[in-house]
Amino acid sequence: MTLRQNLDTKIIYNAVYNLIETANTNLPSWVYNKLSNFNCDYKDKILKNAHLAQKNKRPLCQDTGQVLVYLEIGQDIFLEGENVESIINKAIADCYKEKFYRKSTVKDVLYDRSNKGDNTPGLIHINIVGGAEISILVGIKGGGAENMTTLKMLNPTTELSEILDFAKECAINAGENACPPMCIGIGAGGCAETAAFLAKKALFVGKTVDFDIKNVFETRILTAPTHIACLPVCVNISCHSLRSTSAKIINGEIQYTKGFEKYSDVEIVSNAREIRTDDISALTNLKNGEEILLSGKIITARDAAHKRLAQMIDDNETLPLSLENKIIFYAGPCPASNGEIIGPVGPTTSKRMDKYAPLLYKRGVLATIGKGDRTINGLNKLYFKANGGIACVLQACIKACTPICFEDLGTEGIYELTVEKLPLKTVWL
């Protein structure tokens, strides 16, 4: 017979805080090893990024996302102290502030999209199980890959091979927006919301499916019972920085799961030519697909800043900066830690800015920098693709950072960056 154990929820705070830091700054060994053997154009940058993040204890990606907490509590444990969800959210808020991680949660999806400033609430799932142990799984999920989630209600006679074809279609549609190589999570069963829940959890603990999809290094699945008339299937995608770790609390002690190695530095070799941002002639004569190393001054601006600029133009207001010959980097960096010029930084999904791009190009913007393909063409304007998911590598290319305007938007404000040899690929829109 198991004796009831009294446990202060402060221990859950400590575990979640440490798990968040570990997940944000360490690539799991199995992921690193898979990527080491994966055929990818910028594999050296991915592996170097893992080394830098671990060495400097800084985030693998600037999008330190939403925190997922899967908590299993043994029914023979009596929890004392602060409410479990409250103390988990306190751990999230404290860790994101003290470790200089990016806060990405807005107050309301529709009515107040101002940043909450503490990255709460976490996405917390609590399950009561037998025994006197607590199991905690923490995952970090960024917005770019999350936006590629797809739910489909299939015919109940659908075969596994057809489900995998659906997953392949989702991976192809995600493309560079999900920072490949990707991990695919498939959830099948229950009802619609069950399938979505299972798909995300499958990324971390699902059963591996042997299925070869280009730009996908792992496919995992979780299933559940369902109605005789239903076969709900959801596909959730993670970038190559599949960030998660776990722990157990047994007899009042935290036992952290091992699964991380010490990663060596990786040399990045590039034959791309260096071009300065003030060399307008060289920039406008670039060939489609040409790789460059960009040096000079650029500015950051992403979703909220674009919306504000567009509104000011529509209202005939004077803009707080000139856009003439500016290069806009679609980026929202992590806050700078002590001694840093800027925190880890990388591109966000470019197509979200497509409705604003023609207007800003017309106002004099020379080029834009972001991630993935776009929905606009025929503009005869410059766009540069930057590799996603290598925030620590790109951080090293930033030599100065000065706020320009919209500082109230936090990470979405407009900043001037001095860059040195920023690796990019040319696309003519």
Side-chain angles (χ1 to χ4, degrees):
M1 180 177 177
T2 304
L3 297 177
R4 191 182 78 171
Q5 293 186 19
N6 289 26
L7 195 67
D8 195 306
T9 55
K10 288 180 181 179
I11 195 170
I12 296 177
Y13 170 96
N14 293 333
V16 170
Y17 186 107
N18 292 331
L19 289 171
I20 291 171
E21 181 180 14
T22 299
N24 263 315
T25 58
N26 289 271
L27 198 63
S29 298
W30 75 267
V31 176
Y32 186 93
N33 293 333
K34 282 250 182 180
L35 295 175
S36 297
N37 297 308
F38 197 86
N39 185 17
C40 171
D41 290 341
Y42 60 107
K43 179 171 67 176
D44 54 347
K45 295 174 187 174
I46 293 173
L47 300 181
K48 185 178 184 69
N49 192 70
H51 163 74
L52 289 173
Q54 186 181 70
K55 175 186 175 183
N56 299 325
K57 294 185 178 180
R58 296 297 279 137
L60 288 151
C61 179
Q62 78 284 345
D63 185 354
T64 45
Q66 291 179 289
V67 179
L68 294 150
V69 180
Y70 300 93
L71 193 67
E72 291 187 347
I73 303 175
Q75 65 181 10
D76 295 317
I77 292 177
F78 181 80
L79 294 174
E80 301 176 323
E82 193 171 343
N83 172 273
V84 173
E85 290 195 12
S86 175
I87 207 158
I88 288 175
N89 280 315
K90 187 175 188 299
I92 293 170
D94 289 350
C95 188
Y96 271 67
K97 178 182 178 181
E98 294 166 6
K99 299 301 178 181
F100 301 93
Y101 297 159
R102 197 180 87 181
K103 294 84 175 172
S104 300
T105 305
V106 298
K107 292 178 180 178
D108 185 86
V109 67
L110 292 178
Y111 303 110
D112 184 359
R113 289 193 67 92
S114 60
N115 198 301
K116 285 198 73 216
D118 63 3
N119 219 58
T120 66
L123 304 176
I124 303 168
H125 305 282
I126 299 176
N127 189 28
I128 305 300
V129 297
E133 298 179 4
I134 295 178
S135 296
I136 309 173
L137 169 65
V138 166
I140 309 294
K141 195 67 165 53
E146 184 67 12
N147 284 339
M148 299 297 107
T149 303
T150 307
L151 173 70
K152 194 170 185 178
M153 307 304 287
L154 300 176
N155 190 301
T157 58
T158 301
E159 301 289 342
L160 175 59
S161 61
E162 297 173 88
I163 293 174
L164 294 177
D165 286 342
F166 169 52
K168 182 177 181 179
E169 177 186 334
C170 293
I172 292 171
N173 289 338
E176 294 175 51
N177 298 316
C179 297
M182 299 172 271
C183 180
I184 302 294
I186 303 172
C191 48
E193 63 265 33
T194 310
F197 170 82
L198 292 172
K200 187 171 291 183
K201 192 173 183 181
L203 293 170
F204 312 120
V205 295
K207 176 183 177 182
T208 298
V209 179
D210 186 15
F211 188 53
D212 184 25
I213 309 175
K214 184 181 179 181
N215 270 334
V216 173
F217 70 85
E218 179 85 346
T219 302
R220 293 178 158 189
I221 190 169
L222 284 176
T223 61
T226 192
H227 190 280
I228 57 173
C230 301
L231 207 170
V233 174
C234 184
V235 173
N236 193 285
I237 298 175
S238 171
C239 63
H240 51 77
S241 290
L242 182 58
R243 296 163 287 179
S244 71
T245 189
S246 61
K248 286 183 179 293
I249 299 175
I250 302 174
N251 295 325
E253 299 289 333
I254 305 172
Q255 299 180 7
Y256 294 100
T257 303
K258 297 179 180 179
F260 305 97
E261 301 170 15
K262 185 176 181 179
Y263 305 126
S264 301
D265 199 2
V266 176
E267 182 182 5
I268 298 175
V269 179
S270 174
N271 296 319
R273 63 176 172 134
E274 182 178 349
I275 294 182
R276 296 201 56 80
T277 57
D278 56 4
D279 192 343
I280 309 299
S281 177
L283 288 167
T284 54
N285 282 286
L286 285 169
K287 296 179 181 178
N288 200 48
E290 186 173 354
E291 295 185 357
I292 67 167
L293 300 173
L294 187 67
S295 297
K297 295 186 183 300
I298 63 176
I299 63 172
T300 67
R302 49 174 291 160
D303 307 71
H306 275 73
K307 183 177 181 179
R308 188 173 291 184
L309 287 171
Q311 188 62 56
M312 293 180 74
I313 293 171
D314 287 345
D315 294 341
N316 293 315
E317 295 181 23
T318 301
L319 297 183
L321 76 164
S322 169
L323 296 177
E324 189 67 28
N325 289 328
K326 291 293 193 298
I327 297 177
I328 298 179
F329 187 16
Y330 301 146
C334 282
S337 180
N338 297 328
E340 289 183 330
I341 295 168
I342 194 172
V345 61
T348 196
T349 305
S350 297
K351 68 179 181 180
R352 296 203 311 272
M353 266 54 72
D354 283 356
K355 63 180 179 179
Y356 305 112
L359 176 64
L360 298 190
Y361 275 121
K362 188 176 180 180
R363 297 285 295 213
V365 168
L366 176 66
T368 55
I369 303 169
K371 178 180 69 176
D373 294 325
R374 311 194 67 169
T375 60
I376 52 175
N377 52 55
L379 299 180
N380 195 32
K381 296 296 184 180
L382 266 177
Y383 165 54
F384 295 111
K385 285 185 180 182
N387 296 135
I390 54 169
C392 292
V393 171
L394 298 183
Q395 177 191 20
C397 299
I398 312 299
K399 304 305 177 183
C401 175
T402 305
I404 297 179
C405 58
F406 304 161
E407 291 180 72
D408 62 298
L409 297 179
T411 189
E412 295 197 84
I414 296 180
Y415 298 82
E416 181 184 78
L417 306 181
T418 301
V419 299
E420 184 177 292
K421 298 182 179 180
L422 187 70
L424 303 171
K425 185 176 181 179
T426 306
V427 177
W428 281 97
L429 298 174

